[in-house]
Amino acid sequence: MSISTKYNPKEVEKKWYDSWMQRGFFHSEPNPNKEPYTIVIPPPNVTGVLHMGHMLNNTIQDVLIRRARMQGKEACWVPGTDHASIATEAKVVAMLKEKGINKSDLTREEFLKYAWEWKEKYGGIILEQLKKLGASCDWDRTRFTMEDDLSAAVIEVFVDLYRKGQIYRGVRMVNWDPQGQTALSDEEVIPKDTMAKMYHLNYEVVANSAAEPTYITVATSRPETIMADVAVAVNPNDERYKHLHGKSVRIPLLGKEIPVILDEYVSIDFGTGALKVTPAHDLNDYELGQKHKLPTIDILNNNGTLNEQAQLYVGQDRFAARRNIVKDLQEAGLLVKVEEYASVLQTSERTGAVIEPRLSMQWWCKMDKMAGPALESVMNDEIRLHPPKFKNMYRSWMENVRDWCVSRQLWWGQQIPAYYLPDGSYVVATTAEEALVLARKESGNENLQLSDLRQDEDVLDTWFSSWLWPISVFDGFKDPDNKDILYYYPTNDLVTAPEILFFWVARMIMAGYEFRNEMPFKNVYLTGIVRDAQGRKMSKSLGNSPDPLDLIEQYGADGVRAGMLFSSPAGNDLLFDEKLVEQGRNFSNKIWNAYRLIKGWEVDENLPCPNETAIKWFDSRFNEAFVQIEDHFSKFRISDALLTVYKLVWDDFCSNYLEMIKPAYQQPIDKQTLDTTVDFLEDVLKVLHPFMPFITEEIWHDLKERKEKEYLIVAPWPKKDKFDKHIVEQMESVINIVGSVRNIRNSKNIPNTKPLELFIKVMSHDQYEPYFGVMRKLANLSEVQYVEENIEGAVSFIVSGDEFFIPMEGNIDVEAERERLTKELEYTKGFLISVDKKLSNERFVSGAPESVIANERKKKADAEAKINAIEQSLASL
């Protein structure tokens, strides 16, 4: 069978993915004879399409799950999607508008019908796209955070926490989206750098006499909120305002009197040192107002327009009111100046609207008790963060945890199970029927009917379902002792982004201890952010993000996977460059060409094996690399593991080993070498498979006949084996010698086809002799022998302190060579001076580790040997 000259991923990827699916390799069931290995996917929003962050995150998960599967573990990767309340509702509202339908014209039931239709049509797009990447999820286990069982779990948890006193209803400050008209979590608020204006306004001091009015100047970026001011605060130690202690001032334009209060919270040297206090529209002002028992005046409607309490500009949008009040303040002579400054604007992730901090009646979940065990488990490494540098961030968040606003003013989501009685009181229950029983009991009114109860209109925050994800995907609330939850939970590894370490990861840990009294996972691998070459986060809005599917189309899924991992160490951002993906594709081609070379050899079973040295070396080199690969995996250095595999495959196997054993042109190879090489290639394919599953499965099946389920995806992962360190080190020197010979050829323009002689001057005559055959073959040498004296008229080089000579008589320009050696001598002498300076520095010698000092001494010895060799070469010329 002829093998294609070029690897074609389009022909391969769908074939093998369908084959894996048909044979059930992704599916997992509890197996008491096997160790479970479980990952739950960070559920992408049901509105989502594949982006570069998903590519990185899911590639890493797939690498981990494929390796575990090959290790013989019962590998289970649970996929699914998040209902994404705000994002989905926004999509559905936009779709309805295109049809000329307003949400306000629909009942809740009518709207939800449209929402479910939208979800069924578009909600699975991202999961289908993940299949193109090669994600080996157990698709039979796909879950959705608003499916019936998972929604029932959410309601059950809400009721449970309410009855424990950990959920309550109250008025507190929230992030308010005036366009979406809902509260938002901090994670749904996107900061944007901008230039803003600071307005300096004069507040008239209320005088006891009819003297000339005096003023205090207050700086604010939001003049439209001055009608909600309830005080002006100054630092009690600020000498400028001592005369205002106990005084009052008038709000500009409105004329209303408000007190001057004293608080050390006010910075003396920031702004004017005088702060307007507006508790309803600023979180810090709210806390200041609570401290000083000040009233709270909310002047904004839900949609961001000014309400009746503002008295001025009623009905105007907040930004229109800003423009008008600035104009009126200027005309009244109360606007002192306007300054521009760099600021950060808080915006809604979904609508883009500027966030309003505002007081709102919401449902809250107390977090302090649940935070305790969740903090301890991470600090004592029961749950490990990778990299561990994120532990400090985690601790800071958890030690300063605030109550969680769990309600959202939306229709898409789990409706809060609170039921209001006609008198305004409420009960919390899992069903309306249960609520009626409670309502009759608590009110003492046995005549109450279901029609008398009104369920809370709000839905729960999306995170309130996803914090239960590792438990609910295995139906751990529906049936706490079912076989799946008992076998797969706790899960093993979670792969996610640092920005949701608190919003999702910490809350899942809290839920694990709260509802199952154990951790939800053992390791958290925190990926970096995918950024462009300028360091900007990739996003559609910036137009700096390639379409992942286009990359897969152009470079193949394996090329994209490898490219994403080439420079993505845990916790560090990846500066994406398409050249990385191109490098991944080139790697695929390298592997394919190596396979074609091996398959193209004819075998002669009567030939003896001439390649024992090369075989022994690669066997040891593979085992040495495998130990390194396993160490990288154990420390979640996935990128380093790939780079080790890359070097093993590209350099050691393809560029060196295959060249060592390759038979002469149109000559056969011996059977022992070929069989051993095929075995080596199988091992190489195994360690490469988690990273590049498609090309490896293709070569695996082409390499030899396989049984029905003898697939690489379930082939046994290699085991650690002993290796001969001496032969690895010696061959490394040999490869360096060959490289030096090739460099000399290039610098002297000597054709590769022309054999050269190599002479070696060493103290011992046995260390290179076993490798003479390898040297002759790789460097095209007609002769390799030892000498005790320098060879006149030869080019020399140093490897591992030994001196090598290549006679150049008749092959070089003597003057040009003398000039080259003179320059090299000057450089090496300069290098030696720098090393000597280090070694003569007492602070360096006394403070540096012994290994570092030994390395510097080796550099000194090598430089001295090189100088001696160059000087002798110059003398011979």
Side-chain angles (χ1 to χ4, degrees):
M1 183 186 78
S2 64
I3 303 169
S4 171
T5 56
K6 194 174 181 183
Y7 174 64
N8 188 339
K10 291 179 187 175
E11 294 177 357
V12 167
E13 290 171 1
K14 187 175 188 308
K15 174 180 75 174
W16 290 119
Y17 199 87
D18 289 348
S19 189
W20 292 328
M21 288 277 287
Q22 288 162 10
R23 284 159 181 78
F25 289 132
F26 300 166
H27 184 61
S28 174
E29 290 292 338
N31 185 339
N33 298 317
K34 292 171 77 174
E35 176 189 346
Y37 177 84
T38 318
I39 295 178
V40 293
I41 201 170
N45 286 354
V46 74
T47 60
V49 292
L50 201 62
H51 60 59
M52 299 302 284
H54 291 135
M55 293 272 279
L56 174 61
N57 185 291
N58 287 283
T59 295
I60 292 168
Q61 290 177 82
D62 196 47
V63 168
L64 294 172
I65 207 80
R66 284 179 181 272
R67 173 173 172 264
R69 192 180 287 121
M70 294 175 76
Q71 287 176 316
K73 297 176 183 178
E74 189 59 43
C76 180
W77 182 10
V78 182
T81 49
D82 190 297
H83 65 276
S85 294
I86 295 172
T88 305
E89 186 144 328
K91 293 271 187 185
V92 176
V93 168
M95 176 199 73
L96 291 172
K97 273 192 175 177
E98 289 178 4
K99 296 181 177 181
I101 303 171
N102 291 319
K103 177 187 170 185
S104 56
D105 296 331
L106 300 174
T107 64
R108 187 186 197 109
E109 289 69 27
E110 290 169 338
F111 177 82
L112 288 176
K113 184 182 176 185
Y114 282 114
W116 278 106
E117 286 174 358
W118 187 94
K119 182 265 175 189
E120 292 306 315
K121 186 173 182 180
Y122 300 106
I125 290 176
I126 191 166
L127 297 184
E128 289 304 309
Q129 291 174 331
L130 283 176
K131 293 176 182 179
K132 292 185 180 298
L133 185 66
S136 57
C137 302
D138 184 346
W139 299 108
D140 296 334
R141 292 182 175 273
T142 303
R143 307 306 297 259
F144 174 53
T145 54
M146 250 180 76
E147 64 181 80
D148 290 346
D149 286 346
L150 272 66
S151 286
V154 169
I155 300 305
E156 179 186 325
V157 163
F158 183 94
V159 174
D160 176 65
L161 291 175
Y162 175 78
R163 289 175 180 168
K164 290 175 180 174
Q166 289 174 241
I167 281 184
Y168 64 94
R169 191 167 181 259
V171 175
R172 295 185 62 175
M173 188 71 71
V174 297
N175 300 308
W176 185 260
D177 177 350
Q179 188 172 324
Q181 295 192 37
T182 180
L184 301 179
S185 69
D186 288 345
E187 201 275 335
E188 294 156 330
V189 176
I190 305 300
K192 292 186 178 178
D193 293 334
T194 186
M195 292 304 294
K197 292 180 178 178
M198 185 66 74
Y199 302 88
H200 292 251
L201 315 180
N202 271 344
Y203 285 59
E204 183 186 346
V205 178
V206 178
N208 294 324
S209 62
E212 190 74 21
T214 59
Y215 298 91
I216 180 173
T217 303
V218 173
T220 179
S221 61
R222 305 191 62 201
E224 71 278 9
T225 65
I226 64 172
M227 292 83 75
D229 289 354
V230 295
V232 168
V234 297
N235 192 301
N237 303 312
D238 193 335
E239 294 294 332
R240 295 171 296 175
Y241 301 126
K242 291 279 188 183
H243 66 290
L244 294 180
H245 293 190
K247 299 282 188 179
S248 297
V249 295
R250 289 193 176 90
I251 297 175
L253 300 181
L254 199 60
K256 178 181 175 182
E257 290 189 23
I258 55 175
V260 175
I261 64 170
L262 311 178
D263 200 292
E264 292 188 351
Y265 165 77
V266 182
S267 175
I268 294 174
D269 54 3
F270 180 78
T272 65
L275 178 75
K276 66 191 281 299
V277 182
T278 318
H281 301 289
D282 183 273
L283 178 59
N284 295 320
D285 289 8
Y286 175 71
E287 292 177 352
L288 204 58
Q290 293 289 99
K291 179 179 176 181
H292 290 272
K293 296 183 173 55
L294 297 170
T296 299
I297 302 169
D298 185 349
I299 64 166
L300 288 178
N301 294 313
N302 286 353
N303 63 359
T305 58
L306 274 64
N307 62 27
E308 297 291 337
Q309 290 204 76
Q311 300 182 50
L312 305 174
Y313 316 105
V314 175
Q316 293 186 16
D317 178 78
R318 53 192 167 148
F319 297 117
R322 180 180 300 177
R323 290 191 296 270
N324 291 330
I325 196 170
V326 168
K327 178 184 172 186
D328 292 343
L329 286 165
Q330 194 166 19
E331 290 176 357
L334 297 172
L335 181 63
V336 179
K337 63 177 178 178
V338 181
E339 295 176 325
E340 282 211 340
Y341 71 105
S343 179
V344 177
L345 206 59
Q346 305 296 332
T347 63
S348 168
E349 180 184 25
R350 300 302 171 190
T351 68
V354 176
I355 293 300
E356 278 293 338
R358 70 179 302 226
L359 290 171
S360 180
M361 175 64 80
Q362 302 286 345
W363 289 91
W364 303 85
C365 181
K366 295 177 183 177
M367 306 299 284
D368 49 356
K369 287 182 182 176
M370 288 190 283
L375 173 59
E376 183 182 353
S377 63
V378 171
M379 290 302 105
N380 66 18
D381 287 332
E382 183 181 17
I383 297 173
R384 292 181 177 271
L385 304 185
H386 304 274
K389 68 179 182 180
F390 286 105
K391 285 174 71 173
N392 287 334
M393 180 192 295
Y394 182 88
R395 181 175 59 200
S396 175
W397 276 337
M398 298 298 276
E399 287 178 345
N400 297 284
V401 69
R402 295 188 177 197
D403 289 356
W404 174 13
C405 177
V406 296
S407 48
R408 297 291 181 267
Q409 289 63 58
L410 302 164
W411 281 349
W412 176 249
Q414 288 95 3
Q415 192 172 354
I416 289 175
Y419 297 83
Y420 296 90
L421 281 64
D423 64 1
S425 62
Y426 62 85
V427 293
V428 171
T430 53
T431 65
E433 290 73 20
E434 186 184 329
L436 180 60
V437 172
L438 277 174
R440 285 173 175 173
K441 181 179 178 182
E442 293 189 12
S443 67
N445 182 358
E446 289 296 323
N447 295 320
L448 280 175
Q449 302 299 314
L450 278 176
S451 57
D452 296 321
L453 301 183
R454 177 182 59 84
Q455 188 173 355
D456 197 302
E457 288 288 314
D458 292 352
V459 298
L460 285 157
D461 177 15
T462 297
W463 297 106
F464 201 83
S465 54
S466 56
W467 79 317
L468 310 176
W469 186 248
I471 304 173
S472 60
V473 295
F474 296 116
D475 290 323
F477 293 99
K478 178 183 177 182
D479 182 2
D481 295 316
N482 76 78
K483 63 177 184 176
D484 281 357
I485 193 76
L486 294 178
Y487 182 74
Y488 292 114
Y489 189 95
T491 66
N492 293 75
D493 303 325
L494 178 77
V495 181
T496 190
E499 57 261 37
I500 54 173
L501 179 57
F502 176 72
F503 297 103
W504 188 47
V505 178
R507 287 173 180 164
M508 282 192 289
I509 297 173
M510 293 183 204
Y513 286 107
E514 179 71 20
F515 302 113
R516 288 200 69 84
N517 200 31
E518 59 182 329
M519 59 187 176
F521 30 71
K522 297 165 187 148
N523 295 286
V524 181
Y525 179 102
L526 296 156
T527 66
I529 296 170
V530 183
R531 299 186 181 276
D532 64 15
Q534 298 176 43
R536 301 174 302 172
K537 183 177 179 179
M538 283 191 163
S539 69
K540 289 181 182 176
S541 59
L542 284 176
N544 65 343
S545 178
D547 185 323
L549 296 180
D550 289 346
L551 290 175
I552 290 174
E553 175 76 15
Q554 185 175 356
Y555 298 104
D558 288 326
V560 174
R561 289 165 65 109
M564 293 294 291
L565 291 176
F566 274 140
S567 62
S568 56
N572 292 333
D573 293 349
L574 184 156
L575 291 178
F576 180 79
D577 188 328
E578 200 162 317
K579 289 177 182 175
L580 292 169
V581 179
E582 191 176 339
Q583 184 183 353
R585 181 196 58 193
N586 294 344
F587 189 28
S588 294
N589 291 335
K590 184 77 172 178
I591 299 158
W592 186 254
N593 289 334
Y595 159 65
R596 287 181 61 240
L597 177 68
I598 295 167
K599 286 293 281 186
W601 291 335
E602 289 188 15
V603 66
D604 183 340
E605 297 195 7
N606 298 315
L607 287 176
C609 175
N611 298 304
E612 287 186 5
T613 301
I615 288 170
K616 284 179 181 177
W617 165 70
F618 187 76
D619 184 60
S620 280
R621 176 67 194 108
F622 177 87
N623 284 302
E624 179 191 47
F626 184 70
V627 169
Q628 295 166 353
I629 292 163
E630 291 289 83
D631 183 59
H632 289 318
F633 270 116
S634 72
K635 294 168 182 171
F636 284 84
R637 296 198 295 246
I638 312 300
S639 179
D640 291 340
L642 173 59
L643 290 171
T644 303
V645 175
Y646 179 85
K647 185 179 184 304
L648 173 72
V649 176
W650 191 296
D651 295 343
D652 299 319
F653 186 71
C654 297
S655 299
N656 294 320
Y657 174 74
L658 292 183
E659 290 299 313
M660 292 176 195
I661 65 161
K662 184 168 66 175
Y665 181 63
Q666 291 189 333
Q667 295 297 309
I669 193 168
D670 66 282
K671 187 175 188 305
Q672 182 183 338
T673 298
L674 182 60
D675 289 348
T676 305
T677 301
V678 168
D679 290 342
F680 284 158
L681 179 55
E682 286 189 333
D683 281 341
V684 163
L685 292 174
K686 287 177 182 179
V687 295
L688 186 55
H689 178 79
F691 304 99
M692 304 176 78
F694 293 108
I695 188 172
T696 51
E697 191 74 78
E698 173 76 3
I699 294 174
W700 176 264
H701 284 270
D702 275 0
L703 200 53
K704 61 170 74 166
E705 285 292 321
R706 304 287 179 186
K707 295 176 184 175
E708 170 60 22
K709 284 210 168 185
E710 194 182 352
Y711 276 62
L712 180 56
I713 189 175
V714 288
W717 188 248
K719 289 184 168 57
K720 291 180 184 177
D721 204 352
K722 293 178 181 178
F723 60 90
D724 186 335
K725 191 171 184 180
H726 177 72
I727 195 172
V728 171
E729 290 173 349
Q730 284 299 105
M731 189 63 83
E732 186 176 347
S733 294
V734 168
I735 290 166
N736 287 336
I737 292 164
V738 170
S740 297
V741 173
R742 289 172 175 172
N743 288 338
I744 288 169
R745 283 185 183 275
N746 291 335
S747 66
K748 310 299 181 193
N749 293 317
I750 302 171
N752 290 329
T753 54
K754 182 173 183 177
L756 297 173
E757 296 175 311
L758 180 68
F759 298 94
I760 311 171
K761 181 182 173 185
V762 291
M763 296 298 293
S764 169
H765 281 196
D766 60 359
Q767 57 182 334
Y768 293 114
E769 200 158 344
Y771 308 96
F772 279 6
V774 171
M775 291 184 197
R776 289 191 190 98
K777 191 168 188 178
L778 295 185
N780 190 14
L781 301 172
S782 60
E783 185 176 1
V784 183
Q785 61 178 305
Y786 293 109
V787 294
E788 296 190 4
E789 301 295 334
N790 294 348
I791 304 295
E792 292 204 11
V795 172
S796 67
F797 59 89
I798 303 289
V799 172
S800 301
D802 296 324
E803 198 167 355
F804 299 79
F805 301 91
I806 300 177
M808 287 286 124
E809 188 174 349
N811 289 324
I812 63 165
D813 180 330
V814 175
E815 286 304 316
E817 181 63 10
R818 183 180 286 115
E819 184 180 347
R820 185 188 72 80
L821 287 172
T822 302
K823 286 181 180 177
E824 190 172 357
L825 181 63
E826 288 174 2
Y827 171 81
T828 309
K829 284 181 174 178
F831 176 75
L832 180 60
I833 289 169
S834 68
V835 174
D836 279 336
K837 279 184 179 177
K838 262 191 182 180
L839 291 172
S840 62
N841 185 328
E842 288 185 13
R843 287 181 63 186
F844 171 74
V845 174
S846 61
E850 185 56 41
S851 60
V852 173
I853 297 168
N855 191 40
E856 292 300 318
R857 287 179 178 145
K858 184 178 183 301
K859 286 180 186 177
K860 174 181 170 70
D862 287 347
E864 288 172 341
K866 190 172 184 180
I867 288 168
N868 184 48
I870 294 171
E871 287 175 340
Q872 290 183 21
S873 294
L874 280 168
S876 70
L877 289 172

